[in-house]
Amino acid sequence: YSNYCEWLLTTERFFIGDNTTLAFWHYYDTEENYDGGNVKISNTNGITWDIIEPVGGYPTASIIDNTGNAAVGGEPGYTGDSQGWVYAEFDLAEYANEEIKLRWHFGSDQGVIGYGWVIDDVVVSGGTERSGLVHGTVSFDDAHDNLSDIWVHAGEYFVKADETGEYSLYTT
């Protein structure tokens, strides 16, 4: 990998059900504590991203950026040398019955370079197939309301509208 890189690997939007996990094998060789990556999730079609923690946590609580340029500066993640292939698993229960995107985020500063982060055998499993879809647009007369703060509910299912007020709610 190069100095000052920021690499993003992002999935298309897809639906997950209950008891869903993300798992993959990976190998990383980076400048410890300064270069590395983590996994993020979005249930807002990529408008916002949350860092998701692997089972057992990330090996580093904060990938430090002493230059102001590392893409993942200050975030937890994988950094250093994994010493071979490592299995990672993430519990996605918090996002059950939602449409999500996943993102692998890697960044570096100006220092040492290495092989980087290699990801293989990605599996999202344990979910439920969707069987119904309710979609539409919410709106308000007051132009000052933030439509992306609105939640749409149908029984036990819920989804957040996007910034235009559109939503797609999948049921099982």
Side-chain angles (χ1 to χ4, degrees), residues 150-164:
I150 304 302
W151 286 92
V152 178
H153 297 265
E156 65 182 281
Y157 303 102
F158 56 94
V159 68
K160 224 174 182 183
D162 68 15
E163 71 280 357
T164 66

Side-chain angles (χ1 to χ4, degrees), residues 81-115:
D81 188 343
S82 65
Q83 303 292 317
W85 288 96
V86 178
Y87 182 74
E89 185 174 338
F90 298 77
D91 181 359
L92 304 180
E94 181 180 340
Y95 300 90
N97 302 310
E98 293 188 49
E99 243 186 24
I100 64 161
K101 285 184 172 187
L102 295 170
R103 172 175 282 175
W104 288 259
H105 185 187
F106 180 84
S108 69
D109 67 6
Q110 87 293 352
V112 178
I113 58 173
Y115 289 110

Side-chain angles (χ1 to χ4, degrees), residues 26-152:
H26 63 133
Y27 171 84
Y28 51 93
D29 178 14
T30 68
E31 181 185 13
E32 188 158 0
N33 296 321
Y34 296 98
D35 302 342
N38 57 30
V39 183
K40 296 180 170 128
I41 192 168
S42 174
N43 61 354
T44 61
N45 197 25
I47 296 167
T48 60
W49 292 93
D50 297 319
I51 298 169
I52 53 175
E53 293 275 337
V55 174
Y58 284 106
T60 301
S62 178
I63 300 173
I64 298 168
D65 174 19
N66 62 355
T67 65
N69 293 305
V72 291
E75 296 178 355
Y78 298 109
T79 186
D81 188 343
S82 65
Q83 303 292 317
W85 288 96
V86 178
Y87 182 74
E89 185 174 338
F90 298 77
D91 181 359
L92 304 180
E94 181 180 340
Y95 300 90
N97 302 310
E98 293 188 49
E99 243 186 24
I100 64 161
K101 285 184 172 187
L102 295 170
R103 172 175 282 175
W104 288 259
H105 185 187
F106 180 84
S108 69
D109 67 6
Q110 87 293 352
V112 178
I113 58 173
Y115 289 110
W117 190 17
V118 181
I119 301 161
D120 196 12
D121 294 327
V122 176
V123 176
V124 177
S125 63
T128 308
E129 292 296 318
R130 58 185 175 199
S131 60
L133 169 65
V134 178
H135 62 90
T137 305
V138 295
S139 62
F140 290 102
D141 292 334
D142 184 354
H144 299 290
D145 288 321
N146 187 356
L147 294 172
S148 63
D149 289 336
I150 304 302
W151 286 92
V152 178

